[in-house]
Amino acid sequence: MSQGATGADGPLPPDEVAAGNTAQAQAWNGADGQYWVRYRENLEERYRRLTPRLMAAAGIRADSRVLDVGCGSGGTSLAAGRAAPEGSVLGVDLSRPMLAEARQQAAAAGLSHVTFAEGDAQIHRFADGAFDVVLSRFGVMFFDDPRAAFHHLARALRPGGRLAFLCWRELRENAYLTVPFAALAPYVQLPDLGAPGAPGPFSLDAADRITALLGGAGFEKVSLTALDEPMWVGTDADDAVAALTAMPMAQEMLSEVGEETGARARAALRDALAAHQGPDGVTLGCAAWLVTARRG
Ligand SMILES: C[S@@+](CC[C@H](N)C(=O)[O-])C[C@H]1O[C@@H](n2cnc3c(N)ncnc32)[C@H](O)[C@@H]1O
């Protein structure tokens, strides 16, 4: 049985989180969630070029019923709410701090038809066929059992309903990480991003895996589009260093080395990022899959 996950107000009920997703729930209720809340605006800016592509692909109508999977602080839930003024949006996420932020954002925007639920999208009790659209911006790569999760999400869609999500392509194609990693590598131990396919940001980097998972889950007309976009990471090199080194992953790397080595690592990172400074700030390339499908 799952031990649940420790949230800001105590552990999530064990039946709300699949046993295999407990570690993710802990991370997103801990340092990762706090980072994503604190840097919400910064992260929205990072995704500024990708988000409109996702929203366009989702095909939301004025009266659509939309599910936002791993909605986090609600950026795409609010966008969906604006696209479906006569419909409804449910954002589901494991992270209490991020959901609290999402609720605050929806209230401030006056979007009362955008609501949020705390839970594990892999097992959350959605009514069958309750949604016309299921979307996700980088929230579907963390499932311990993606087969079960996508099957579960297919059932939540009405027949013919649309799935649209973004996930990262291979790490080596994503300069927004390889550039910082290359700069830091001489000074710190780079993180282990897990075995191929293991839950994490790159679990769905392989096109054939996505196609097989979705086909097996009952989706049809699966389509993958490679998006290659510049990603803004800061107004200048110092701003970008501050945002990137505040990431829990970077904090962990830097905490394992002494002060002097840490300072040299930060300086190397700053130099590497300064080389990517343009008129609008520091930008690095990113590579994502835009995936669409419909429930058969
Ligand atoms: C990379 S963040 C993206 C957040 C948000 N979609 C955005 O673009 O700002 C991944 C999100 O997925 C959520 N998540 C991970 N596994 C989940 C699961 N099994 N059920 C629901 N949410 C999950 C995390 O809590 C986190 O908020």
Side-chain angles (χ1 to χ4, degrees):
M1 188 169 81
S2 161
Q3 297 168 353
T6 306
D9 305 311
L12 297 176
D15 61 345
E16 294 294 330
V17 183
N21 290 334
T22 305
Q24 289 294 333
Q26 274 165 344
W28 292 105
N29 277 292
D32 282 319
Q34 281 154 22
Y35 177 82
W36 278 70
V37 170
R38 182 169 162 212
Y39 283 90
R40 182 185 62 79
E41 289 179 18
N42 178 294
L43 288 155
E44 286 300 328
E45 190 58 27
R46 285 187 218 176
Y47 296 152
R48 189 164 58 87
R49 287 173 183 266
L50 297 174
T51 306
R53 302 292 300 271
L54 171 65
M55 300 315 292
I60 298 171
R61 295 168 193 250
D63 62 352
S64 290
R65 300 160 302 161
V66 181
L67 172 64
D68 186 358
V69 176
C71 64
S73 304
T76 47
S77 310
L78 268 62
R82 292 192 178 97
E86 295 149 31
S88 60
V89 181
L90 176 67
V92 67
D93 203 285
L94 292 167
S95 171
R96 280 183 191 173
M98 292 169 81
L99 287 169
E101 178 69 24
R103 289 189 176 106
Q104 215 169 36
Q105 293 297 325
L111 296 171
S112 57
H113 64 306
V114 179
T115 58
F116 297 93
E118 179 183 325
D120 178 349
Q122 186 176 308
I123 60 166
H124 193 73
R125 291 177 210 87
F126 305 114
D128 279 7
F131 300 100
D132 303 301
V133 176
V134 170
L135 67 83
S136 182
R137 186 178 68 182
F138 301 118
V140 291
M141 303 94 80
F142 304 94
F143 300 127
D144 165 65
D145 188 343
R147 273 173 215 283
F150 281 112
H151 191 260
H152 190 64
L153 294 174
R155 282 223 328 252
L157 266 178
R158 67 163 166 78
R162 193 162 175 80
L163 172 73
F165 67 82
L166 286 170
C167 60
W168 295 119
R169 304 213 312 273
E170 286 183 55
L171 170 63
R172 66 186 170 88
E173 296 178 273
N174 277 288
Y176 85 93
L177 283 179
T178 58
V179 167
F181 281 177
L184 294 171
Y187 307 99
V188 303
Q189 178 73 46
L190 295 180
D192 175 6
L193 293 174
F202 297 100
S203 70
L204 297 179
D205 60 3
D208 53 356
R209 180 156 198 252
I210 297 173
T211 308
L213 274 170
L214 296 187
F219 287 100
E220 293 177 344
K221 298 197 171 169
V222 178
S223 157
L224 278 74
T225 305
L227 302 184
D228 293 275
E229 294 287 351
M231 180 194 275
W232 176 93
V233 290
T235 50
D236 57 25
D238 289 322
D239 187 44
V241 169
L244 294 177
T245 57
M247 291 172 77
M249 178 171 68
Q251 291 278 302
E252 202 177 315
M253 286 187 253
L254 291 165
S255 72
E256 284 162 5
V257 298
E259 214 169 289
E260 197 187 317
T261 305
R264 288 167 68 197
R266 282 188 170 82
L269 179 59
R270 192 192 175 285
D271 289 347
L273 293 171
H276 295 268
Q277 169 89 51
D280 300 326
V282 179
T283 53
L284 295 168
C286 74
W289 289 120
L290 173 61
V291 181
T292 58
R294 52 169 237 178
R295 179 183 168 179

